[in-house]
Amino acid sequence: MKKRTGTVAAVLVIACLVIGLYMYINQAAQKQTEGKRTLATTLLSRDLSKDYPPTPYAAVELYCKTVEAMYNAETKPEQIEQLIQMQYRLFDAEFAAINPLNTLTETTKNELEKNKSNNLVLTGFAVDRSTNVEKWTEKDGKNYASLKAVFSMRNKKGSGDSVRLFTLREDENGRMKILGWKILD
């Protein structure tokens, strides 16, 4: 009887150890999978039809994040195309009409390749604080906003900044869409 009790206890201890080891390995694998979540996968998991940026600041910040993700070495070519499509959904209809998606895709890919061959790396970006957003209403009754974003770049020769002044216009659904930008010196 004592032998059986000892055997049962040993089997229970071993079973608990095996279950504990399984849970530890499973938890470590989940953490490793979560750790591999890239900026591109995070951005692409966002559904703009349900979760559109609520402010001009947030719309420009999302655009800048898509640019940052495109310059990230971990981003796959198919993700770059999806990020370009995400940018396109941030564009005002008028801006999108003069920048067709296929042209935007080709131009963006060419620019990324050119910058890669020149060892040009995006080191970060900064968007004007939301308090710096300039807002106004035009005679047509539509609301507009503008704000600056700075992209920091570097290569073997040095580093520098590219400043863009974004203009946004509110669409019929109350969403601020990028109407265009100009590069400032």
Side-chain angles (χ1 to χ4, degrees):
M1 187 80 156
K2 285 187 180 184
K3 242 184 184 180
R4 271 193 182 160
T5 307
T7 306
V8 169
V11 168
L12 285 175
V13 168
I14 291 171
C16 287
L17 287 173
V18 169
I19 290 171
L21 182 63
Y22 170 79
M23 290 174 61
Y24 174 78
I25 291 170
N26 191 31
Q27 188 177 20
Q30 283 180 344
K31 283 183 181 179
Q32 189 175 19
T33 303
E34 289 172 6
K36 288 187 177 182
R37 192 166 170 90
T38 65
L39 177 58
T41 55
T42 301
L43 291 172
L44 294 172
S45 67
R46 184 173 181 167
D47 182 1
L48 289 182
S49 61
K50 295 177 183 170
D51 184 25
Y52 192 84
T55 64
Y57 173 85
V60 171
E61 183 180 44
L62 179 58
Y63 175 86
C64 293
K65 284 181 180 180
T66 63
V67 172
E68 181 181 34
M70 285 184 224
Y71 275 90
N72 189 316
E74 295 177 356
T75 304
K76 299 176 179 110
E78 63 272 8
Q79 290 175 317
I80 289 175
E81 288 195 21
Q82 293 171 338
L83 289 165
I84 294 167
Q85 291 169 7
M86 178 177 261
Q87 284 181 341
Y88 197 72
R89 288 191 293 267
L90 295 170
F91 290 175
D92 180 85
E94 183 180 328
F95 189 55
I98 59 174
N99 293 291
L101 182 58
N102 59 346
T103 304
L104 179 66
T105 302
E106 185 179 325
T107 303
T108 303
K109 285 181 176 181
N110 289 339
E111 182 181 329
L112 289 169
E113 274 304 311
K114 178 183 165 194
N115 290 342
K116 186 177 181 180
S117 67
N118 291 329
N119 296 316
L120 193 61
V121 177
L122 177 71
T123 57
F125 70 88
V127 180
D128 265 352
R129 298 182 59 80
S130 58
T131 54
N132 292 347
V133 176
E134 184 181 330
K135 297 179 181 179
W136 69 94
T137 303
E138 288 285 327
K139 292 177 184 176
D140 60 5
K142 293 191 178 188
N143 295 318
Y144 291 80
S146 69
L147 68 153
K148 293 178 190 168
V150 179
F151 292 95
S152 299
M153 311 287 280
R154 72 169 164 75
N155 65 10
K156 292 179 182 178
K157 296 178 184 177
S159 62
D161 293 333
S162 173
V163 182
R164 293 183 186 177
L165 177 64
F166 286 86
T167 302
L168 298 94
R169 177 169 55 193
E170 192 174 49
D171 71 2
E172 61 278 352
N173 298 317
R175 297 175 169 176
M176 294 304 288
K177 300 279 193 151
I178 297 172
L179 186 58
W181 61 82
K182 68 179 180 178
I183 298 175
L184 305 175
D185 291 333

